[in-house]
Amino acid sequence: MNRTQIRPAARFSPALNRLSKLALLDAAAHSALSDAIARPQVLRPRRDLLIEGRDVPHPQLILSGWAARVRILPDGRRQFLNFLLPGDVIGLYHHSRPVSPTTIVTLTEVTVCVPPAPGSHATLDEAYALSQALDEAHLLSQIARLGRMNAMERIGDLMLELHERLSLSDLTQGRSYELPITQETLADALGLTAVHVNRMLQAARRAGDLIWSTRTMTIPDPQQLARKVGRSPVRVLAP
């Protein structure tokens, strides 16, 4: 997978931030996770993290960068099933000899590590479980987006979801966040053409709903946009 080792002294906090917010990690779990994060590996863009139908050797924790689950059809058409962000755990299965149900490809330079094994720390297992529950919830949201929402609703709903998810990793700046993907990639995630995505983004800008400039997405009024598209924040845990 063309990986290269980078300096152990490098520190990546977004993943630790996210898992620490999902569950109250005890000292041992926090230390084990920090040790794992201190042994990162970097992958260049457009590299496979997992390949559909092939063995999953071990879980991986995304420390930085963006990746995506993708399904490629025989004629070359592709569908991005969801985006994978810092703090997401991939390849975490609870049966023997797992194979990957989809290909996971890096969209930017991505840094990963092998997290502590499940079963080694109870509080970390709780964070893993909640991470998986959120992953499932976001996949279900993607089904609803593609099946029932119009183009403007799809874009607005996904932009709100990304803001919610990146907030968990402390990767937002107020109502803004880095969006390091192309309009073509966004189109392949939303079942639209790149031309239609561009047209809808311009309309959203004129309406004051979304501003995408120099790889940064800004949502001037998230509550207003949520009302327009009918979005409620994803919840997987009782209050």
Side-chain angles (χ1 to χ4, degrees):
M1 286 190 281
N2 292 322
R3 302 174 182 235
T4 56
Q5 193 73 27
I6 65 177
R7 292 182 301 169
R11 300 181 67 183
F12 298 90
S13 62
L16 186 58
N17 292 341
R18 179 176 185 269
L19 292 175
S20 297
K21 288 181 182 179
L22 292 179
L24 183 59
L25 302 181
D26 59 28
H30 193 283
S31 177
L33 187 56
S34 297
D35 288 346
I37 290 172
R39 296 187 296 274
Q41 292 178 306
V42 62
L43 294 89
R44 291 178 292 176
R46 297 179 296 280
R47 294 295 184 267
D48 293 330
L49 276 167
L50 293 175
I51 299 176
E52 182 178 352
R54 295 193 183 178
D55 292 346
V56 178
H58 49 69
Q60 298 178 77
L61 173 62
I62 297 180
L63 305 179
S64 67
W66 285 44
R69 288 188 177 88
V70 61
R71 179 66 54 82
I72 301 176
L73 302 180
D75 62 2
R77 287 177 296 165
R78 63 183 185 176
Q79 176 67 53
F80 288 110
L81 305 175
N82 73 330
F83 294 112
L84 297 163
L85 310 175
D88 285 339
V89 183
I90 62 175
L92 184 62
Y93 299 102
H94 302 288
H95 56 279
S96 60
R97 296 183 298 171
V99 298
S100 180
T102 63
T103 292
I104 296 180
V105 62
T106 60
L107 301 177
T108 67
E109 182 175 277
V110 168
T111 308
V112 298
C113 73
V114 178
S120 55
H121 301 280
T123 56
L124 192 53
D125 284 348
E126 177 70 6
Y128 288 160
L130 287 170
S131 182
Q132 285 186 293
L134 284 171
D135 197 27
E136 179 182 355
H138 294 138
L139 285 170
L140 294 174
S141 294
Q142 174 73 338
I143 293 172
R145 266 195 295 268
L146 296 179
R148 289 298 177 184
M149 292 185 179
N150 63 38
M152 187 65 78
E153 290 169 339
R154 294 182 197 185
I155 293 173
D157 187 71
L158 179 57
M159 295 305 104
L160 287 167
E161 177 187 293
L162 291 172
H163 187 272
E164 292 166 15
R165 294 176 61 190
L166 289 166
S167 293
L168 269 178
S169 303
D170 293 336
L171 288 174
T172 57
Q173 299 82 42
R175 297 174 179 179
S176 301
Y177 56 90
E178 184 180 1
L179 188 62
I181 58 175
T182 65
Q183 290 188 15
E184 182 181 6
T185 298
L186 187 57
D188 286 342
L190 295 175
L192 304 170
T193 65
V195 171
H196 198 35
V197 165
N198 181 268
R199 187 180 301 123
M200 292 298 97
L201 286 170
Q202 291 183 37
R205 188 184 188 98
R206 289 193 297 271
D209 291 330
L210 297 170
I211 303 171
W212 191 1
S213 176
T214 59
R215 293 167 58 95
T216 298
M217 174 60 68
T218 299
I219 307 175
D221 191 336
Q223 292 184 341
Q224 177 178 291
L225 181 57
R227 286 193 295 270
K228 282 187 176 182
V229 303
R231 178 176 180 80
S232 298
V234 170
R235 289 178 53 190
V236 296
L237 191 65

